[in-house]
Amino acid sequence: MGIDPVTEAERRWHIQLKRKSGDEYVGPCPFCNAGEDRFHVWQDRGNYWCRQCDAKGWLDEDKDLSDHERRIRELEARQRAVERKQAEHEQRLSVLERMHASNDHLRYFHNMEVHTEAIEYWDSQGMTLQTIDDYLLGYCPRCPTDNRGRPSYTIPVMAYGKLWNIRHRLIGADNSDKYRPHLAGLPAMLFNADNLARDTDTMLIVEGEKKSIVVAQTGFPNVALMGKSGFQPEWARKFARFNTVVVALDPDAEAQAVEIASQFKGRGRVALLPGKVDDLIVQFGASREDIEWFIRMARPI
């Protein structure tokens, strides 16, 4: 190839890349300025790609161009990134406006007056009747996200007094396809996000809405990721008010937990749990004091 792609990318765009794994390096995107790990460069192959704005190319494909021609190409790439970002933003706004105006979650909540078996399900997951009411947990007999029309249990995603999403837990689906958003194109966000305004010294980050609800019911302020890889680096500033941020993901997600905790400038900790936190509480009878011990023993990052 004649050039080192990582060195060339850092020189060309004045960014700093760090190794993610193997020959893959990541850093902030020079086109859309997204995050600290959205822009990927592969050293062996010499290609780059941004998973935020989809800018892509090969670092050696323009090595024979003049500086002027290279600048023109980079300006065109930046313009395409801006246009993509604007189009995605407008699409998200349109979908969010539909969600904010929706009352579907209330309909699903009231469905349980007829489908009492759904109340039994939520009870089996450790939810009290008060929690079911507080979170407006529900049941959808024919899930709109499924072309087979299977039923789903529903969890509204509320924040700042608005409905942002409804998470459907599809009955009969495998684990990889179990949770679905109410509408396509909705932005990623934290569940229980209103807790970020709480006056507390410690904030927990857990994985999944059900875990978040059970942990909150046990008495611990927390927010939840919608998937263990769902933390956005720009969210770290939302935790600035807390002295300690404890990341308590599932046991198989320690690497992701460490990566998340490292973004809180010395305030992050990783709780090493022997099982899923809601299972510990609901199935194995872990007390508040037991969970408190795991939080206290969390490893500083």
Side-chain angles (χ1 to χ4, degrees):
M1 186 176 353
I3 64 169
D4 173 48
V6 174
T7 302
E8 174 63 14
E10 291 181 330
R11 180 200 66 78
R12 184 184 300 183
W13 292 308
H14 307 290
I15 58 176
Q16 187 169 355
L17 300 171
K18 60 182 180 181
R19 185 192 297 271
K20 182 179 180 183
S21 63
D23 72 325
E24 183 181 3
Y25 287 72
V26 295
C29 179
F31 303 111
C32 68
N33 300 314
E36 296 181 355
D37 63 350
R38 295 295 184 268
F39 189 69
H40 297 246
V41 175
W42 285 269
Q43 191 169 43
D44 291 350
R45 287 169 287 175
N47 61 313
Y48 62 86
W49 171 64
C50 174
R51 60 190 176 100
Q52 183 74 25
C53 70
D54 201 39
K56 63 183 71 172
W58 298 83
L59 280 150
D60 66 339
E61 66 184 356
D62 57 355
K63 62 185 179 182
D64 296 325
L65 297 177
S66 68
D67 288 344
H68 176 71
E69 290 170 323
R70 187 176 293 116
R71 282 196 296 270
I72 293 297
R73 286 198 176 188
E74 290 175 4
L75 285 172
E76 290 172 346
R78 285 193 173 92
Q79 181 60 35
R80 289 194 298 270
V82 168
E83 291 170 355
R84 279 193 297 268
K85 192 173 182 180
Q86 181 63 29
E88 291 166 1
H89 176 67
E90 290 173 356
Q91 181 185 21
R92 282 195 298 270
L93 279 181
S94 174
V95 175
L96 276 176
E97 287 167 355
R98 290 168 59 190
M99 284 306 308
H100 292 338
S102 174
N103 287 316
D104 287 347
H105 63 305
L106 299 179
R107 178 160 51 87
Y108 300 150
F109 172 67
H110 290 300
N111 278 345
M112 295 198 297
E113 296 170 6
V114 176
H115 298 275
T116 55
E117 69 277 9
I119 297 177
E120 295 173 4
Y121 165 77
W122 288 119
D123 176 71
S124 74
Q125 302 303 300
M127 316 301 184
T128 67
L129 289 175
Q130 185 62 56
T131 294
I132 291 172
D133 287 348
D134 289 345
Y135 283 89
L136 296 171
L137 304 179
Y139 174 77
C140 178
R142 188 175 180 84
C143 184
T145 73
D146 184 46
N147 56 16
R148 293 164 57 186
R150 289 173 289 183
S152 60
Y153 300 110
T154 59
I155 305 175
V157 181
M158 306 292 299
Y160 323 117
K162 293 181 178 181
L163 177 68
W164 294 78
N165 200 342
I166 302 171
R167 295 282 280 175
H168 290 261
R169 188 182 189 279
L170 196 62
I171 300 172
D174 59 34
N175 284 334
S176 63
D177 192 35
K178 186 180 293 182
Y179 285 98
R180 300 184 176 189
H182 194 57
L183 297 173
L186 290 166
M189 68 178 299
L190 294 165
F191 182 74
N192 259 337
D194 285 343
N195 280 340
L196 293 173
R198 294 275 294 271
D199 185 15
T200 181
D201 181 75
T202 301
M203 180 58 60
L204 271 62
I205 299 177
V206 300
E207 177 190 338
E209 300 86 351
K210 283 201 305 172
K211 295 183 182 69
S212 180
I213 294 170
V214 170
V215 170
Q217 185 178 261
T218 309
F220 298 100
N222 74 87
V223 295
L225 308 177
M226 297 180 188
K228 61 188 176 184
S229 300
F231 191 85
Q232 307 290 325
E234 57 268 25
W235 291 347
R237 63 178 181 271
K238 298 176 181 290
F239 296 79
R241 65 186 297 157
F242 307 113
N243 291 328
T244 305
V245 181
V246 177
V247 185
L249 305 187
D250 293 351
D252 66 348
E254 184 178 351
Q256 290 90 340
V258 169
E259 182 180 351
I260 293 167
S262 68
Q263 300 184 49
F264 300 113
K265 300 179 179 178
R267 296 175 294 115
R269 293 172 177 262
V270 171
L272 301 176
L273 302 173
K276 297 178 179 181
V277 67
D278 56 338
D279 287 347
L280 295 178
I281 295 168
V282 177
Q283 295 183 23
F284 301 105
S287 66
R288 175 184 170 85
E289 290 72 26
D290 295 328
I291 302 302
E292 209 161 29
W293 185 87
F294 285 113
I295 294 172
R296 195 165 57 248
M297 294 295 105
R299 175 160 57 97
I301 302 298

